[in-house]
Amino acid sequence: MSTTQTIDAINQDYQFGFTSAIESDAFPKGLSEDVVRAISAKKGEPDFMLDFRLKSYHQWLTMEPPTWADVDYPPIDFQDIIYYSAPKSVEKKQSLDEVDPELLATFAKLGIPLSEQKRLSNVAVDAVFDSVSIATTFKKDLAKHGVIFCSLTEALEEHPELVKKYIGTVVPATDNYFSALNSAVFTEGSFVYIPEGVTCPMDLSTYFRINTEGTGQFERTLIIADKGSKVSYLEGCTAPKFDSKQLHAAVVELIALDDAEIKYSTVQNWFAGDPKTGAGGIYNFVTKRGNCKGNRSRIFWTQVETGSAITWKYPSCILTGDDSVGEFYSVALTNHFQQADTGTKMIHLGKNTRSRIVSKGISAGVSKNSYRGSVVIKPNAENARNFTQCDSMLIGQTCHANTYPYIQVENPSANLEHEATTSRISEDQLFYFQSRGIPTEEAVATLVSGFCQDVFNELPGEFAAEAGKLLAIKLENSVG
Amino acid sequence: MTNQAPLLQITNLHAQVANGGQKILNGLNLTVNAGEIHAIMGPNGSGKSTLSKVLAGHPSIEVTAGEVLYKGQNLLELEPNERATAGVFLAFQYPIELPGVNNTTFLRMAYNGKQKANDLPELDEAGFAEFLKTKLPLVEMKDDYLHRCVNAGFSGGEKKRNEILQMAVLNPCLSILDETDSGLDIDALRIVANGVNQLMSADKAILLVTHYQRLLDYIEPTFVHVLANGQIVTSGDKSLALELEAKGYDWLLPHPQQAEVAV
């Protein structure tokens, strides 16, 4: 990233805080069995899906919200949330010409051109606006390779057998409170299937946008990489500024069969709440998990978490297949009143399984940033290896950084390494930059960028630049 | 000399540790013209490093009175980074480590920052690499320093040489070398001094803050000043440094009992 870009970026506020004037077709607030049935009916789903939703809903009713995370928030009123909201004018979209121009303008503002321009950067995009998928680009090109990339709703219509076979197999509805809620009321998401032996010819990408105030976003992503296939998937998120909190409870499931590889990258920039009062912002309570089901399969998670009032998120890998590999690279930045409790779980089941965790936490303002990670080696996981590196950087005197590593080893042949550091950006470091003519904001951005380099290196090119820029914006005025 | 303003003019400078701390400088006066090298010597605690910090704008020191003009301009109202881009350079006594920040990237940020502030063209990565190649021999540094993080894991001597490399890249008008000789072995001292001498010219000036005469064997000062209790108590030419080496500082300091008698 060039320094000029950084400087330009520093002077920006949250730039995605606009709302678009688009008529929406929304359910009234509240959750009941009728609402769950209505969502399913609205989408014309097959019976197995309705059963799945109803089971999840009844399960959810018996569950309590988790309290173990190091985050504080008042109880959520689940009857005060809209569970379905769709832009009115896009009932069916065969081509982009039919999409509401206001919507296209919104996505253009977000830097997501859905039209031909995207051809140049060779990324296929699925755009989700509130509860529905607006458009998926490059479907035809991908179909030539046998790759299925569409909204989950379309997948249920066109490939119900694939959805039925895999949905809920990695994150069962009963997994946790928020996954149960999602399983009952999810409205949209992306579906990806890469056939045997195919390397997906382009990066796939989903952009999520919450637009309607009071709307919960409950999307569900399902990615299946068949034997010997390979795919790189990018996820980006933004939301307008509202004074009230908004709930985002997503579920992402990845399945990698023998010799397959999935790389899942996220740059998350939800609205974090008012910097001065902490009002508003997104509760980002997300369950992401991949199953390295096949032998020699590989799943890589890379996340840059910059937004959200509260982040509760642990992208994890179940290393089922022998010789499978799970990696997790994370930058989590909290500033002002933000709270993050994030990390990963690596569950080693197969022989010779390997996992690697690199976590970088940056805290500024009065924020709270916790890394929570779990490495589990089960009895059959002969020769499992894990390397964990967990670094925290503090900016200022009023923020918190915590690390909660859990290790559970049931096979003596395991080899685990854990490294952790805590550092602070010192006045002397900033003065050293200044004495060489480099202003403080740029100095902070450079130090933070250097701190995160190991993670940024894992991001696809375009995202790496975006991530560096985002961090600079988020840390604006955090020093001095 | 022409009737040009001095490069640096310090008048009645008073300074203390920030937030009401100890008073350190007590009415210091100093005039430095282009083409001159001034050695600032003096016992421990006399205020030598504080003077360096004040000139560079370190936030730990607060100026309570007096004036500092750089090229006729009020230096004290400039931010530290503005002082740097205006041509003031401080070589640190203890250079700071910047983990994760590549040395070349840092040097290029500094160089382009100065160019930009002075409406001069910036250099791209390739152009800067070429430019940097011409500066490395000044401090007898090898390429591999450039790929490391700024000062991270550098030896004491490497850090000091890296300071002089930064000086070469920024080409400052006024350089303040704060005990650059401390912690250097004889070979490193020679290398650093050679670098400094090559960077000196008729339109520039250097303030050498040092404890020891030995640096002055390599960098010949125009004037030598002795700082004590936050003031310059005596000034002379290079022979003063030799005298100090032989006699110490004690004879220059006001004797407390005599002072009482005088009252």
Side-chain angles (χ1 to χ4, degrees), chain B:
Chain B
M1 279 299 290
T2 58
N3 54 1
Q4 221 177 333
L7 205 52
L8 179 72
Q9 181 143 40
I10 304 175
T11 313
N12 189 33
L13 184 64
H14 290 257
Q16 63 189 33
V17 174
N19 303 317
Q22 195 193 345
K23 287 199 73 176
I24 301 180
L25 298 181
N26 297 299
L28 185 141
N29 296 294
L30 180 66
T31 301
V32 178
N33 292 301
E36 295 174 352
I37 297 177
H38 290 241
I40 310 281
M41 305 183 77
N44 290 328
S46 58
K48 301 190 299 295
S49 281
T50 300
L51 175 61
S52 309
K53 284 180 176 169
V54 167
L55 295 177
H58 197 285
S60 66
I61 308 293
E62 187 183 341
V63 173
T64 50
E67 187 181 60
V68 179
L69 298 180
Y70 168 71
K71 294 182 174 174
Q73 187 189 3
N74 182 356
L75 186 69
L76 299 178
E77 69 183 13
L78 297 182
E79 290 294 321
N81 49 298
E82 294 168 337
R83 300 181 195 196
T85 54
V88 178
F89 179 85
L90 170 64
F92 282 55
Q93 183 180 1
Y94 303 108
I96 307 295
E97 300 192 5
L98 303 177
V101 180
N102 175 278
N103 212 9
T104 303
T105 308
F106 181 72
L107 288 165
R108 192 161 80 93
M109 279 172 87
Y111 177 83
N112 281 342
K114 186 177 177 187
Q115 293 292 100
K116 198 176 172 186
N118 293 288
D119 291 321
L120 293 167
E122 297 177 40
L123 284 176
D124 62 11
E125 269 179 54
F128 188 73
E130 286 302 309
F131 168 76
L132 205 49
K133 243 184 232 169
T134 65
K135 303 295 174 191
L136 283 174
L138 275 176
V139 282
E140 300 182 26
M141 269 169 96
K142 290 194 203 105
D143 282 11
D144 58 329
Y145 286 107
L146 299 176
H147 309 306
R148 289 159 65 180
C149 293
V150 180
N151 295 328
F154 281 33
S155 72
E158 287 169 346
K159 283 182 182 174
K160 295 296 175 79
R161 278 198 263 171
N162 203 27
E163 293 292 289
I164 304 307
L165 178 63
Q166 292 174 11
M167 178 175 160
V169 165
L170 288 171
N171 196 26
C173 266
L174 174 66
S175 301
I176 303 138
L177 310 185
D178 189 5
E179 302 201 21
T180 295
D181 52 333
S182 68
L184 291 185
D185 60 34
I186 291 294
D187 290 331
L189 181 69
R190 181 186 49 77
I191 291 168
V192 162
N194 273 342
V196 171
N197 283 330
Q198 288 178 67
L199 293 171
M200 181 60 189
S201 63
D203 56 348
K204 296 178 187 164
I206 295 176
L207 227 57
L208 278 180
V209 174
T210 182
H211 269 294
Y212 302 108
Q213 150 66 23
R214 65 170 193 170
L215 177 65
L216 307 182
D217 290 339
Y218 295 94
I219 305 174
E220 190 177 311
T222 323
F223 298 102
V224 174
H225 309 279
V226 175
L227 193 58
N229 299 321
Q231 288 181 320
I232 288 176
V233 290
T234 189
S235 300
D237 61 14
K238 63 179 176 174
S239 65
L240 177 59
L242 292 168
E243 201 178 348
L244 292 169
E245 183 86 346
K247 292 163 71 178
Y249 294 112
D250 209 34
W251 59 283
L252 287 168
L253 305 180
H255 200 281
Q257 281 172 351
Q258 281 175 350
E260 262 175 26
V261 172
V263 173

